[in-house]
Each structure stands twice: as C-alpha cells, then as structure tokens.
Amino acid sequence: GLGFNIVGGTDQQYIANDNSIYVSWIKKDGAAYLDGRLQEGDKILAINGKDLKDLRHKDAVELFRNAGYQVSLKIQRRLQPQNGPVSHRGDGDSGGLPLAAILVPGLALAVTAAWILLRYRQRM
C-alpha cells in the first residue's frame, strides 16, 4: 500500500459539512513516510488527476488501492491544528516543544549562576 490511512467522504465526514478526504495516519517506514512530503491532517484533493470531491469513503479507498506504482497526489496542507482524531503518531511525539528545549537552557542558567556564586565567594 501507500503507507497511510484516510478519513472523510460524503458518508463519513471527518469535519462537519466537509466531504473531503484527509490523511489520518502515516505508517512509519511506509511509502508516504519515506517520501516525507505527506503529513497527517493533509487534505487530499486528487489522486493521479482524479478529483476526490464528493466521493463516498469506500470509493476513495478504492481509488487509492488501485492507484498503481506511480502515484501523484494533489494535497492541501492544513495550516491550523484542529480538534479531532488526526495525529495518531504512535511514536510518543506529542507535537509540542521537546522537553530538552526547556530543560537545557534552564540547566545552563543554573550552572552559570552557580559558577558566578563560587567565583564571587573565592574573591571574598
């Protein structure tokens, strides 16, 4: 397969009043993951030139299953995160700031303050 799951369609709207097809999950080490361009939450507008507008979910799935080896996707990147079940990363990444981005500067500041205090005490 292509290494990702989709949600949406006229019969299974992922977003209210929106029949579009969205990427819900990308399989680690799958084709889409290795390519690196597709992201969870992307809206897929077309596959191999075939418009996905107003399709039932199962019809969209069938288009993906029969896409062949050379697949061209037209996508619309999601700019703002939305509430909903997208982002089933499964690799422990919450999508926020890494803990190290907070701890490393704080630790550096504490070490610097301790060094200054020790130097100041030695001069007294």
Side-chain angles (χ1 to χ4, degrees), residues 7-78:
V7 292
T10 58
D11 56 337
Q12 297 180 20
Q13 291 181 344
Y14 173 66
I15 296 174
N17 302 315
D18 183 354
N19 294 331
S20 302
I21 303 296
Y22 292 87
V23 176
S24 62
W25 178 76
I26 297 177
K27 179 183 177 187
K28 189 172 184 178
D29 297 327
Y33 177 88
L34 295 173
D35 177 76
R37 291 179 283 181
L38 195 64
Q39 295 179 9
E40 292 174 358
D42 285 350
K43 180 190 289 191
I44 304 177
L45 305 174
I47 179 168
N48 294 338
K50 171 72 173 144
D51 189 4
L52 297 182
K53 188 174 183 178
D54 296 326
L55 287 180
R56 292 180 301 172
H57 181 80
K58 72 176 194 168
D59 295 331
V61 169
E62 199 60 31
L63 284 175
F64 283 94
R65 285 191 177 142
N66 296 321
Y69 293 106
Q70 293 290 329
V71 177
S72 172
L73 297 177
K74 182 177 179 184
I75 63 137
Q76 179 179 345
R77 178 91 351 117
R78 181 194 307 183

Side-chain angles (χ1 to χ4, degrees), residues 93-109:
D93 184 5
S94 67
L97 275 177
L99 186 56
I102 298 165
L103 291 181
V104 170
L107 183 58
L109 184 60

Side-chain angles (χ1 to χ4, degrees), residues 103-119:
L103 291 181
V104 170
L107 183 58
L109 184 60
V111 168
T112 303
W115 181 80
I116 291 170
L117 181 61
L118 287 174
R119 297 287 289 172

